[in-house]
Amino acid sequence: MKIISTLLLMAIFAVMFINTDFAQASSGDAKTAAPATDEVKLPDTPAGKTFAAFLQAFNSGDINVMRKFHQERKGNPDNAEQDWGAYKQTGGLKVIKVNKSSDYALEVLVEAKSDARRLNFAIEVDSNAPHGIMSIQAQPAQ
């Protein structure tokens, strides 16, 4: 399977967060979504650990920290530019709940800190260390 870069994820974020139709639809869904907590525990699996590392780097808002994440996971450090752009739009991401989990795949519901828009976020990671991200999917939460 060909590795899909974080660049794809950031393009998805950009389209969703710029799209005003999505913003209007999301505002009505907030009442029915699960309540947010600050302490959602991610699974102790390669996928959970990779996502936790990505989320920590992303939420730092520091492009150098984002570059380091990509370097350590054998990804393209230039993807940090896209991460940083998405961070500026979202103010960071907060995990609302874990939807599905296995050793090498994870699906979570996340919320943008800037405006509470929600996304279903799924990743698959390589089974070999350092468990780099092989695929990413993000879509508006229903």
Side-chain angles (χ1 to χ4, degrees), residues 4-12 70 78-79 82-83 136:
I4 299 175
S5 74
T6 303
L7 181 61
L8 174 61
L9 169 66
M10 295 310 116
I12 291 168
H70 291 292
D78 293 338
N79 290 338
Q82 299 300 317
D83 294 350
I136 296 173

Side-chain angles (χ1 to χ4, degrees), residues 43 98-102 105-108:
V98 175
N99 293 329
K100 292 182 185 176
S101 175
S102 68
L106 180 67
E107 293 180 21
V108 294

Side-chain angles (χ1 to χ4, degrees), residues 41-113:
K41 183 166 173 60
L42 293 170
D44 188 20
T45 62
K49 290 176 182 177
T50 296
F51 181 72
F54 167 77
L55 193 62
Q56 183 176 13
F58 184 84
N59 285 344
S60 75
D62 183 331
I63 195 163
N64 292 319
V65 173
M66 295 174 193
R67 279 190 188 111
K68 183 177 178 185
F69 166 80
H70 291 292
Q71 288 171 333
E72 289 175 349
R73 301 291 171 159
K74 300 193 188 235
N76 183 347
D78 293 338
N79 290 338
E81 296 288 337
Q82 299 300 317
D83 294 350
W84 190 62
Y87 172 81
K88 289 191 297 185
Q89 292 179 10
T90 63
L93 299 173
K94 179 178 179 179
V95 177
I96 303 303
K97 73 176 188 173
V98 175
N99 293 329
K100 292 182 185 176
S101 175
S102 68
D103 285 347
Y104 304 109
L106 180 67
E107 293 180 21
V108 294
L109 176 66
V110 298
E111 180 177 273
K113 291 181 179 181

Side-chain angles (χ1 to χ4, degrees), residues 115-136:
D115 60 12
R117 284 181 271 186
R118 292 186 174 190
L119 298 168
N120 288 314
F121 190 98
I123 68 166
E124 288 185 46
V125 300
D126 189 349
S127 59
N128 298 310
H131 308 293
I133 297 173
M134 294 181 62
S135 71
I136 296 173

